[in-house]
Amino acid sequence: MDPISKNPEERPSGIAALDQRSREIFGRLVDTYLQTGEPVGSRTISRSLPSTLSPASVRNVMSDLEDAGLIYSPHASAGRLPTELGLRFYVDALLELDSLAIEERAQIDASVAGSNRGRSVEEILTETSNLLSGLSHCAGVVVAPKINTRLRHIEFVSLGPGRALVVLVNDDGSVENRAITVPVGLPPSALSRASNFLTARCQGKTLLEVQKLVSAELATQKRELSDLTARVVEAGIAIWSGDNAGEKTLIIRGQSNLIEDRATLEDLERIRKLFDVLEAKKDLLDLLGAAEKGEGVRIFIGSENKLFSLSGSSLIVAPYRDGEEKIVGVLGVIGPTRINYARIIPMVDYTARVVGRLIT
């Protein structure tokens, strides 16, 4: 397939010259393809048109559409399928968005807002990814901001010889924990002293602030700690030292939906390549980071982006904002190129606005 151009002026001139009848036939072809995933024949289109147009006349128009690069034939005797260029033209010029159903609005409101009770922002956004996956029958994707919350308590818990758990309790009630290595034979009193030392300095501060404060104290020997306890404290703050407050967390749910579609089962190799894309989280984060710079819903179709050039997938995403109208993340849906654009675009847009109101 030809690569897609996002700029109308870069498209083949034949597209601009399409008359109303050609656009109507092309729109019917794409609508049918999005519903069935199968090649569409001239007889099928002829039957669906309100006017009496013979299959032969439809075939002539389809030949022109093929010359314009909008459709192609997968087999000599088969019907036609839209190219990626055709799908882009359809989305940009012909697509009529559905109104989001009242039931779906209510489900989004209930799922996202209902997940707010006593849960962290990341947990809320994880539920949002699950919700988008369930509603779209594709994979839900959310880029969550790395929240630099303020701390309430830090505690060390023994996990056995040479291992301990560092537990961070944040002001919002959320808890994070990570395992660290400690000297074998470390007495329980050393863990207790390390907990008391850090808790006395962490309350109301961010983790980054605690790291700077404690590192300065340990460096200047201004401490009331034994060497063993100091080593525990250093290990406890070092385990988070690689965290960057500007990082984003990528949440993907519902990948299994991508192999349930009958059409995609015929090309498992493409699905495998898409899964490889989902595993390469840094590249996907870079793509979603570009989506953060745009306004409203962004749509990437197949080879428009190199990440999806092999898997033949589409990505529909929208940014969500905080109370200061600053974009803090992106959410959306990944699915096959024959995704239901008319239904999913308003779904993603509405969910982004609900999430923005909630996290504000």
Side-chain angles (χ1 to χ4, degrees), residues 9 15 38 82-83 91 95 133 158 166 191 196 211 237 239 258 293 312 342 354:
E9 60 271 17
I15 294 179
E38 303 288 344
T83 62
V91 168
L95 180 64
S133 171
S158 176
V166 190
L191 291 179
N196 293 336
Q211 288 172 339
I237 62 170
I239 197 67
L258 300 173
K293 300 172 184 177
V354 171

Side-chain angles (χ1 to χ4, degrees), residues 315-337:
L315 172 68
I316 301 174
V317 288
Y320 57 92
R321 303 170 183 270
D322 60 16
E324 299 176 351
E325 285 299 302
K326 177 184 177 183
I327 293 176
V328 293
V330 176
L331 58 80
V333 165
I334 297 175
T337 52

